[in-house]
Amino acid sequence: MRILLIRIMIPVVLVSIGIIYYNCNPEHPYWVIKCPWWLLTGTYCPSCGIQRFTHQLLSGHVYEAFCLNPFLLLSIPYAVLAVLGKWYNIKGVFDNTNRFVYSRQTLMVYVVLYLVWWVMRIIFNI
């Protein structure tokens, strides 16, 4: 029962968040959640700009979203596969996907790319 509830709630929550970010532009900072890393250090974290990114992507402005945070756009397929494999693997449909997504090599590559992106954001202020 709990798993069924999670399988139903994930899309409901994602669609709800999507509706909010589609209709509300985070450029207007009266409601935007501030990045704690930015507030502490004044430098970008790997996911800085995720709210503006989400608004641009949902508005159909893929290039603008990519310019805000290219790593996020490239991470979406990996995140989708991870969620599908974890919560929607009914009768083993996503077993091969899980072996890829959760393999040690894939996770290590993702972590290294994440850290490289973070260093690039700090050094080049992008």
Side-chain angles (χ1 to χ4, degrees):
M1 182 64 177
R2 181 173 177 244
I3 297 295
L4 179 61
L5 183 62
I6 290 173
R7 287 182 184 155
I8 293 170
M9 289 307 295
I10 289 174
V12 168
V13 168
L14 289 176
V15 168
S16 300
I17 291 170
I19 290 170
I20 291 168
Y21 278 102
Y22 176 77
N23 290 306
C24 301
N25 187 351
E27 293 292 329
H28 306 293
Y30 57 90
W31 67 277
V32 176
I33 299 168
K34 303 292 184 218
C35 174
W37 181 263
W38 173 261
L39 293 173
L40 288 173
T41 66
T43 61
Y44 294 117
C45 76
S47 60
C48 270
I50 194 169
Q51 295 175 95
R52 291 174 289 136
F53 169 89
T54 303
H55 175 73
Q56 292 297 335
L57 194 60
L58 291 173
S59 298
H61 306 127
V62 178
Y63 178 74
E64 288 82 357
F66 181 79
C67 289
L68 286 169
N69 195 325
F71 189 77
L72 286 175
L73 189 62
L74 299 174
S75 295
I76 290 173
Y78 182 78
V80 167
L81 290 175
V83 169
L84 287 175
K86 179 70 174 176
W87 295 107
Y88 299 95
N89 193 15
I90 300 166
K91 297 183 181 177
V93 173
F94 293 108
D95 283 346
N96 289 335
T97 302
N98 280 342
R99 278 192 282 282
F100 169 73
V101 169
Y102 296 107
S103 74
R104 183 176 176 89
Q105 294 85 0
T106 303
L107 291 171
M108 290 301 293
V109 166
Y110 187 83
V111 167
V112 167
L113 289 173
Y114 184 86
L115 294 174
V116 166
W117 172 239
W118 196 343
V119 169
M120 285 177 50
R121 287 202 96 174
I122 291 172
I123 292 174
F124 299 113
N125 199 27
I126 51 175

